[in-house]
Amino acid sequence: MENELTEEWSFQLSPKEFFFLTQLVGVRHIANFDDPYRGYLAKELEEEYKVIEKTFVDKGYLVPKQEGAGYDMNEMLAYCIAACGSADVMHVSKKIEGTGKYAGHYYFTPRIVVEQTVDESGGIVLVPVADAQLTLEAMKGFFPLTLQYKSPAKKAVIKDCTWDQWNQLTEVDQRNRLVQAGHTEEQAELALDIFSNGERSGSMMFMKRHGLMWHQEDYHYAQWGDKLYLAVELTEGTLQFQPYKPAILKKALLRFADQIEKLDGKGVK
């Protein structure tokens, strides 16, 4: 298989179609996917599949076997579906004021990296993008790795609070938590202003599955003019806020690259 893959490979699926393809390939544990048929009986699933199988044939995702009855799956689609069961996953998102936003999951395997995005109608789009080394190089563009914000503010550790929970707090509660964690009133106010008013923002999440459990590291940044701030969640339920330093992201990317290197025995620099 070529390392660089062209844009002609793109598979658009509904969540239900994606579910049945994972069943055909034998993929069971997928980051960022909820079973749309949870609670269905086997008989009900069989009836659903009869309808969806015709759609697969019409789209060319399933092709009749050259010999005997049944179907074979499109080879590239089969690779993509199998890759979605990877234990090594990244989620990246980026928003630039006046330009737009992007969000996608990347599933890493020794042979292929697959991008999964969600379109405006809620459909799943799968694209084989490149090999691991090229993909990790591209990931460097999601965060500003040449900028640094110098500030006397120290790291503020917020316990018993995930990133999602943090964003549900009122601004007053957020400010109080930052002050309690060691920021001055002015430093806390500025940190909140950067995240609220920043013209650029992004997130990078590294996910690793161990058995049935997922370990996740989250990094979120915002840029407001020449001021940048970073929020890190290394352990679920503990947030760290601090002035932005690119070295933190570089180390995280290197750790993830080391994981991928161990998958295929090749160096990922």
Side-chain angles (χ1 to χ4, degrees):
M1 181 184 300
E2 302 253 339
N3 282 338
E4 296 186 40
L5 299 162
T6 64
E7 293 183 358
E8 66 183 83
W9 293 109
S10 177
F11 302 99
Q12 298 182 329
L13 305 163
S14 70
K16 291 184 176 181
E17 290 173 338
F18 181 75
F19 168 82
F20 279 113
L21 289 173
T22 63
Q23 300 304 297
L24 291 174
V25 174
V27 177
R28 295 293 181 266
H29 309 295
I30 305 171
N32 186 47
F33 182 69
D34 294 323
D35 181 355
Y37 290 109
R38 190 181 302 278
Y40 275 59
L41 299 175
K43 182 69 174 179
E44 293 173 315
L45 286 176
E46 290 176 7
E47 294 300 318
E48 287 279 324
Y49 181 68
K50 288 178 182 178
V51 176
I52 287 179
E53 183 182 61
K54 184 178 184 304
T55 302
F56 288 155
V57 174
D58 292 341
K59 288 183 175 182
Y61 293 169
L62 292 181
V63 294
K65 290 181 179 291
Q66 293 184 349
E67 297 182 6
Y71 297 95
D72 288 321
M73 190 180 299
N74 175 289
E75 185 177 10
M76 182 58 74
L77 175 59
Y79 277 130
C80 290
I81 295 295
C84 289
S86 172
D88 298 275
V89 184
M90 285 182 66
H91 172 77
V92 293
S93 63
K94 191 171 186 177
K95 183 178 180 181
I96 302 176
E97 188 176 277
T99 300
K101 58 184 179 179
Y102 167 85
H105 280 77
Y106 289 79
Y107 301 85
F108 286 75
T109 74
R111 298 190 65 185
I112 193 174
V113 178
V114 172
E115 173 197 56
Q116 184 202 92
T117 55
V118 177
D119 62 25
E120 294 180 354
S121 63
I124 294 170
V125 182
L126 299 180
V127 179
V129 288
D131 66 10
Q133 184 170 345
L134 290 173
T135 303
L136 286 169
E137 283 296 321
M139 292 298 102
K140 295 178 181 179
F142 279 89
F143 270 53
L145 297 183
T146 59
L147 300 178
Q148 180 167 320
Y149 178 44
K150 294 183 179 180
S151 165
K154 303 298 182 182
K155 182 190 300 180
V157 178
I158 312 294
K159 295 184 178 181
D160 301 320
C161 187
T162 66
W163 178 249
D164 288 338
Q165 290 170 338
W166 175 262
N167 287 298
Q168 298 301 315
L169 297 177
T170 66
E171 186 175 333
V172 172
D173 288 336
Q174 290 177 340
R175 186 186 303 109
N176 289 339
R177 296 293 296 270
L178 286 172
V179 171
Q180 291 168 5
H183 273 31
T184 65
E185 289 278 355
E186 293 76 13
Q187 291 168 347
E189 189 70 37
L190 178 58
L192 296 179
D193 283 343
I194 294 172
F195 276 104
S196 297
N197 304 321
E199 63 273 7
R200 290 174 178 262
S201 61
S203 297
M204 187 175 290
M205 307 174 192
F206 301 90
M207 289 169 270
K208 175 70 176 179
R209 189 180 74 243
H210 300 278
L212 299 178
M213 303 297 293
W214 288 92
H215 172 73
Q216 183 169 317
E217 296 180 10
D218 296 3
Y219 300 82
H220 311 276
Y221 92 96
Q223 180 179 356
W224 187 30
D226 61 351
K227 301 176 178 63
L228 297 91
Y229 235 75
L230 181 67
V232 179
E233 186 176 359
L234 295 179
T235 303
E236 185 174 0
T238 300
L239 285 172
Q240 302 174 9
F241 286 86
Q242 64 189 88
Y244 183 85
K245 295 180 180 179
I248 297 173
L249 267 298
K250 290 178 180 178
K251 289 179 180 178
L253 280 167
L254 285 174
R255 284 196 301 272
F256 190 79
D258 286 342
Q259 290 179 197
I260 305 305
E261 179 180 350
K262 294 173 183 177
L263 288 179
D264 60 1
K266 298 178 181 179
V268 181
K269 299 178 181 179

